[in-house]
């Protein structure tokens, strides 16, 4: 998969996790463990996106 397509897919997943986090926060019985896991996954995606963008710009 070309790098740009991969980045686009990671960004889509990142946005989906953000929506899921917001949905979880809006529930009165928000599960703290689930919320922590969602935030951890979102941060991992952000780190990977940043790493790939940095390596992409180093190639150009």
């Amino acid at each position: 998969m070309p790098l740009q397509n991969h980045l686009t897919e990671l960004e889509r997943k990142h946005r989906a996790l953000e929506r899921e986090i917001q949905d979880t926060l809006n529930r009165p019985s928000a599960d703290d463990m689930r919320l922590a896991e969602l935030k951890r996954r979102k941060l991992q995606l952000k780190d990977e996106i940043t790493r790939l963008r940095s390596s992409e710009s180093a190639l150009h």
Side-chain angles (χ1 to χ4, degrees):
M1 173 184 304
L3 182 59
Q4 188 57 44
N5 290 354
H6 187 57
L7 277 168
T8 301
E9 182 62 19
L10 291 175
E11 290 166 345
R12 185 195 62 76
K13 289 178 180 180
H14 187 267
R15 286 189 304 274
L17 279 171
E18 178 60 33
R19 284 190 301 273
E20 193 171 349
I21 288 168
Q22 289 305 314
D23 289 346
T24 301
L25 285 171
N26 290 333
R27 284 189 217 125
S29 60
D31 180 356
D32 290 339
M33 293 296 285
R34 171 128 176 89
L35 192 57
E37 173 63 19
L38 291 171
K39 287 181 177 183
R40 184 187 64 76
R41 288 175 33 209
K42 182 182 168 203
L43 183 57
Q44 285 177 328
L45 280 173
K46 180 182 175 193
D47 289 345
E48 186 173 356
I49 290 167
T50 301
R51 181 182 59 78
L52 288 172
R53 281 192 178 140
S54 294
S55 67
E56 180 183 43
S57 62
L59 294 174
H60 293 246

